[in-house]
Amino acid sequence: MRSELNSVKVAENTYWVGIVDDRKVPFHRLILEKGTTYNSYLMMTEKPTLIDTVDIAFGREFVEQMSSLMDLDELAYIVINHVEPDHAGALPALLRKATNAVIVTTSLGAELLKDMFRIKNREFLIIKDGDSLDIGGKTLQFFETPYLHTAETMITYAVEDKTLYPCDQFSTHMAAHELFNDLAQEDYLPDFETYYKLIMGPHRPYVRKMLEKIAGLEINMIAPSHGYILREDPQRFISLYDEMSTLSTSGETKKVTIVYSTMTGNTRKLAQQLAEAIADYGMVVDEYNLRDADLKEVADSIRSSDGLLVGSSTRYADMVGDIEKLLQELAESEMRRIPAAAFGSYGWSGEATLHIENYLEQAGFQVINERHLLGNHGYDMSLFPLRVKFIDEKALERARQAGELFGEKVLTYTA
Ligand code: FEO
């Protein structure tokens, strides 16, 4: 294993204290052929502050290096923008020496860190979107950027330096020995774009929200946690994220069919939330309550749709109404592989959504479910199948979220 740990000045009183990792690093089922860096930044202000740590494999070296740079008892804050072990992995080793440091992170970040690293009896400063922190000579401002690329993520902005510390965002997986993009010996743009496509692209709507949040900031440098520090033309990289996260419109309006059977009206309420969220994406929604609809008309609508949502209440562990009849017909026809998902409310047990999924798979649809969402988006929340016991405000909000996600799937889907 070859690594380098150094301190390099990146701004006033601010030093890169990271690792250049030349290994072919396994990461998210990929092998990073060009290695990577784990960029950590030390601000030697009146209240010395570290932004992110390094990969768990380098904890010991990192702490030794940090100890040679400062008395770790004097470290006042450790900002954790993102809890994955390639950035927060050296935290436990560091905390053993940095006995007074307060951990600065989001509420979810704090929960995850406590769980992962069994951190006890340490002070956390919980960050909410837009919060600021005076570290004595610099002001840090924090923005929550959930799902870029995990739920707890935030970014840090050094106000006086006009420098953005966005952790994974704007990163590149390259063992960037030169550290700064203006010194790069090879064309790193393809790798920057590949990183975006693999890590950030699946969370496109959240990239749009992040870009809105940083639009008002004056940014002279972007200091991410992998690859080059973007001190030359940082705006170019923001523009690239803007371009890559903007959907090219073909001019064709997409259509989603929502069809359901309901016993008490709760499944209809879910359908309405889903429909509203999808319509907000600018798509046409054809919604059918099978009690009043003609099966042939519904099947025709599905054949001309770009996405399908099928819902049913559960009674005696089964679907209700004519839903099964419709699904049998679909399973016996040749359907296009468009995104499809199941939803339904239940009171006792909720098997209907599972039966629906089985039929959707049999008919050849691209079924959007927990397995798909975890594998493709890293979502560990179960949005589909949308299976809701009775109904309350929380369930309706979940349905809204599920609708937004389904709309995104349909808009970005390529067969
Ligand atoms: Fe670089 Fe999400 O870890």
Side-chain angles (χ1 to χ4, degrees):
M1 182 190 304
R2 183 177 161 217
S3 68
E4 288 175 14
L5 184 70
N6 281 307
S7 68
V8 177
K9 185 171 179 180
V10 296
E12 193 57 33
N13 291 336
T14 303
Y15 303 88
W16 175 86
V17 288
I19 291 269
V20 178
D21 188 353
D22 267 341
R23 297 174 301 167
K24 289 184 192 253
V25 187
F27 184 80
H28 286 229
R29 295 179 58 75
L30 301 170
I31 299 294
L32 307 180
E33 294 290 335
K34 297 182 181 177
T36 192
T37 67
Y38 313 106
N39 300 336
S40 171
Y41 301 94
L42 177 62
M43 295 175 167
M44 292 300 283
T45 53
E46 286 164 32
K47 298 174 188 170
T49 298
L50 185 76
I51 300 191
D52 294 314
T53 72
V54 299
D55 189 88
I56 195 162
F58 300 96
R60 188 178 47 78
E61 288 126 281
F62 180 68
V63 174
E64 278 170 14
Q65 174 71 8
M66 286 286 292
S67 301
S68 74
L69 295 172
M70 66 177 296
D71 179 354
L72 284 176
D73 279 342
E74 288 173 12
L75 190 62
Y77 297 110
I78 303 171
V79 175
I80 299 291
N81 282 313
H82 171 43
V83 304
E84 276 205 317
D86 52 334
H87 306 293
L91 182 65
L94 183 61
L95 287 177
R96 283 195 282 278
K97 299 271 185 189
T99 49
N100 298 310
V102 173
I103 304 162
V104 181
T105 191
T106 58
S107 160
L108 182 57
E111 275 176 44
L112 293 170
L113 288 173
K114 285 178 198 169
D115 281 354
M116 281 195 315
F117 299 130
R118 306 197 197 298
I119 297 173
K120 289 186 184 134
N121 305 319
R122 293 302 297 237
E123 191 180 341
F124 281 82
L125 177 65
I126 302 299
I127 289 306
K128 290 206 183 67
D129 198 40
D131 280 357
S132 291
L133 177 65
D134 179 353
I135 58 168
K138 284 186 199 293
T139 314
L140 301 182
Q141 196 175 10
F142 308 99
F143 298 93
E144 293 183 80
T145 55
Y147 296 105
L148 296 180
H149 63 111
T150 49
E152 84 297 344
T153 316
M154 68 175 199
I155 57 177
T156 301
Y157 177 64
V159 176
E160 292 80 5
D161 297 334
K162 302 181 173 56
T163 299
L164 190 67
Y165 296 91
C167 199
D168 272 346
Q169 297 160 58
F170 299 101
S171 277
T172 312
H173 277 313
M174 285 180 93
H177 292 274
E178 315 91 322
L179 208 57
F180 297 98
N181 66 329
D182 50 300
L183 305 178
Q185 297 293 305
E186 64 176 299
D187 182 8
Y188 57 91
L189 268 186
D191 295 280
F192 178 85
E193 290 177 358
T194 299
Y195 181 101
Y196 171 86
K197 282 172 195 153
L198 291 175
I199 310 288
M200 298 296 152
H203 306 272
R204 190 194 68 84
Y206 295 98
V207 175
R208 301 303 306 167
K209 285 180 189 164
M210 178 274 292
L211 291 173
E212 279 170 29
K213 285 187 186 184
I214 66 168
L217 305 177
E218 199 179 331
I219 295 172
N220 288 346
M221 181 161 71
I222 301 174
S225 289
H226 295 293
Y228 290 108
I229 297 172
L230 307 168
R231 71 179 176 189
E232 183 178 76
D233 201 2
Q235 203 53 49
R236 179 185 188 190
F237 301 93
I238 296 172
S239 301
L240 274 173
Y241 262 45
D242 185 26
E243 281 164 30
M244 291 190 286
S245 62
T246 301
L247 290 175
S248 57
T249 47
S250 61
E252 230 175 78
T253 305
K254 293 199 168 184
K255 183 176 94 167
V256 171
T257 294
I258 301 179
V259 55
Y260 60 90
S261 286
T262 182
M263 283 168 64
T264 64
N266 284 342
T267 296
R268 177 170 44 86
K269 287 180 190 161
L270 294 178
Q272 285 166 345
Q273 290 294 312
L274 291 163
E276 277 174 28
I278 293 165
D280 285 350
Y281 264 78
M283 280 181 272
V284 171
V285 180
D286 280 358
E287 188 181 329
Y288 299 95
N289 181 340
L290 265 194
R291 191 191 57 195
D292 315 315
D294 174 63
L295 277 186
K296 185 179 173 316
E297 189 191 333
V298 177
D300 286 347
S301 172
I302 292 169
R303 286 192 184 89
S304 63
S305 284
D306 304 285
L308 169 64
L309 289 167
V310 181
S312 173
S313 325
T314 297
R315 187 175 61 179
Y316 301 138
D318 209 346
M319 300 165 279
V320 301
D322 281 341
I323 283 291
E324 185 157 25
K325 211 164 158 189
L326 173 71
L327 289 167
Q328 276 168 346
E329 187 179 325
L330 298 180
E332 283 161 15
S333 335
E334 199 166 321
M335 302 305 300
R336 286 180 301 122
R337 192 170 173 75
I338 56 171
F343 66 96
S345 161
Y346 67 96
W348 178 252
S349 58
E351 295 89 339
T353 51
L354 303 178
H355 300 315
I356 293 170
E357 270 198 353
N358 288 341
Y359 272 113
L360 293 175
E361 263 166 25
Q362 204 184 323
F365 293 106
Q366 167 68 68
V367 177
I368 309 301
N369 56 15
E370 199 170 354
R371 180 187 163 88
H372 175 94
L373 294 173
L374 188 61
N376 291 274
H377 297 263
Y379 283 177
D380 58 0
M381 57 181 169
S382 175
L383 285 176
F384 284 115
L386 180 62
R387 185 173 164 274
V388 169
K389 186 161 186 169
F390 300 118
I391 214 151
D392 56 14
E393 278 308 311
K394 224 168 150 188
L396 292 174
E397 177 51 36
R398 214 174 109 213
R400 171 97 207 166
Q401 258 184 308
E404 285 170 8
L405 183 120
F406 193 79
E408 176 71 16
K409 291 304 293 185
V410 173
L411 265 190
T412 54
Y413 183 73
T414 44

